[in-house]
Amino acid sequence: MQKINSPPEIAASDKERLIRGSVIFNGIEPGLLREVVQLSRTRRIHKGAMLFQQGDDGDALYGVIEGLIRISLAGEQGKELILGLMEPGDIFGEIALLDGLPRTADAHAAEDSVLLVIERAQFVQLIEREGRLARHVIELLCERLRANTERLGEHAFMNLGARLARKLCALSVAHGRHEEQEITIDMRLSQTELAQMLGVTREAVNKQLKIWSREGVLRFDRGRITIANSKRLTALQNP
Amino acid sequence: MQKINSPPEIAASDKERLIRGSVIFNGIEPGLLREVVQLSRTRRIHKGAMLFQQGDDGDALYGVIEGLIRISLAGEQGKELILGLMEPGDIFGEIALLDGLPRTADAHAAEDSVLLVIERAQFVQLIEREGRLARHVIELLCERLRANTERLGEHAFMNLGARLARKLCALSVAHGRHEEQEITIDMRLSQTELAQMLGVTREAVNKQLKIWSREGVLRFDRGRITIANSKRLTALQNP
DNA sequence: CGCCTGCTGTGAATGCGTTCACAGGCAGCC
DNA sequence: GGCTGCCTGTGAACGCATTCACAGCAGGCG
């Protein structure tokens, strides 16, 4: 169990910073911001703990202040499809919150995390009242829809190699540390997780990664993936 | 080319009926309804014609008054993934309309169709003004997200047989004509289209359908699929 | 320190679905 | 009527990814 690098009490300013920084509250007026801060609370959750599961009532919206939350679907015999990783500044849990139906996926803590929690009733009132906020919510939903649609297309049209190359490129944009031509993906990421993001087996991912590592496209440094030849990798997305 | 069974001019009452009947305008006040009718127009489109393509500007929202619109993604070498079939009463084209980004998919007429068209600028103003309408838009988006998420899970966890059984069950709910124990799916539907909805090949679908037809689960009457043993078919969804 | 536990690496066998190739049927149209 | 285009049916070969089965390795913890 890893220690969290923040004081035990989350300051209101932390909440405020998260709220101001996240997509759906972006450009919010100071008065409304203070109101949102008022009606939100925080919650700590330990690595490995379940926040909610598919089918649960969706009675809250969450924001990540610190840590990492994995959103996933569970299949039979322990299989899992990772739909997304929520990082500081990200908002999640919006679908069930907004339509009042059961949760569509599982959420559990991939690291010890601190979350912002906004209760359903209050939030729904708020968006009904504030057209501006409603617009932001709509934009968040559209973004999610775009990501989903793209993913459906990838599954239908691309093979493992291309999908993996694409995922690595995306990760290098989101988490890349650039150092003279090379890009290191700066996050803990097992091959099992990578496989679960793509909806394939760990073995298949391992074999593809090894091929690329032999060809000099990638390297592995202390559990991190380094992209040595990002031009080649980019090309591998469209075979 | 098939004739359309309606007068050449679409009466305002037709528009009104569509608008009142479709999800996002459901329960709308009479005044607002009249306003929406005012700012909408209609458009005819012939079978096979493209309405918009992935990447186009999304400058309008569409509703189907009559006909059938196929929403799909195009892959390389003529491959196609059908994302949805829009029928009378359905609304589509909302993503690009709402976030102002390019179209995420193609839309083309599977039959001669009559569409309701609402321009972007006017509609966006309207939802900003009317909290109630915004809520309905949000609900539509949530519904789409749920469908997409479910589909991602199906692709990841289920094989062709289970996915096909599931699709047939869904179609029998939406388009079933019940007649003493049997359910006929009352729509024109080629095996190629069925395959494109599932993201598999036509041959694979054909083989599975033939197996079930030999086993007495299904029958084929004049281009329609009849489910003879819906209990068996339902069970086949979870192998 | 040594013992787990989880991650990585790999090879053989299997299987599901694709690709390719072709044949026959049915409907609309000139 | 015959032609053309689209749909259905089917078999053989192939290939990608899964499943299964291990082996080695690192790191955390008692």
Side-chain angles (χ1 to χ4, degrees), chain B residues 80-212:
Chain B
E80 200 177 340
L81 180 70
I82 299 179
L83 295 176
L85 298 176
M86 298 298 144
E87 305 178 9
D90 290 339
I91 296 274
F92 66 94
E94 70 284 346
I95 303 181
L97 180 99
L98 291 167
D99 67 10
L101 297 173
R103 292 288 184 197
T104 57
D106 302 342
H108 77 260
E111 303 291 346
D112 285 4
S113 304
V114 182
L115 302 173
L116 181 85
V117 186
I118 305 180
E119 297 302 330
R120 174 174 162 77
Q122 295 153 349
F123 188 73
V124 169
Q125 267 180 25
L126 205 60
I127 59 172
E128 197 119 358
R129 220 183 65 208
E130 298 287 334
R132 180 90 175 263
L133 187 53
R135 270 212 64 76
H136 282 136
V137 167
I138 287 173
E139 267 155 29
L140 173 67
L141 293 172
C142 285
E143 197 184 311
R144 295 273 146 93
L145 269 168
R146 283 177 184 273
N148 272 357
T149 304
E150 205 179 318
R151 216 164 147 175
L152 279 169
E154 289 171 13
H155 261 90
F157 301 133
M158 295 163 53
N159 61 12
L160 184 149
R163 296 220 304 285
L164 181 53
R166 201 173 167 76
K167 190 82 208 172
L168 291 174
C169 287
L171 286 168
S172 81
V173 170
H175 296 272
R177 191 162 28 86
H178 292 248
E179 26 187 303
E180 30 182 291
Q181 308 288 342
E182 302 197 328
I183 310 173
T184 297
I185 295 173
D186 209 352
M187 71 185 297
R188 196 71 211 90
L189 186 63
S190 74
Q191 297 183 356
T192 304
E193 285 170 305
L194 216 38
Q196 287 171 334
M197 291 185 200
L198 300 177
V200 295
T201 58
R202 198 254 323 160
E203 292 91 327
V205 166
N206 176 277
K207 278 160 196 173
Q208 187 61 70
L209 287 177
K210 279 290 110 181
I211 291 170
W212 288 338

Side-chain angles (χ1 to χ4, degrees), chain B residues 67-87:
Chain B
L68 187 67
I69 303 293
R70 173 181 312 168
I71 311 295
S72 60
L73 291 178
E76 72 290 351
Q77 59 214 48
K79 278 185 196 168
E80 200 177 340
L81 180 70
I82 299 179
L83 295 176
L85 298 176
M86 298 298 144
E87 305 178 9

Side-chain angles (χ1 to χ4, degrees), chain A residues 1 79 159-160 199-204 207:
Chain A
M1 214 72 79
K79 279 185 194 168
N159 60 11
L160 183 148
V200 295
T201 58
R202 199 256 322 161
E203 292 92 326
K207 278 160 196 171

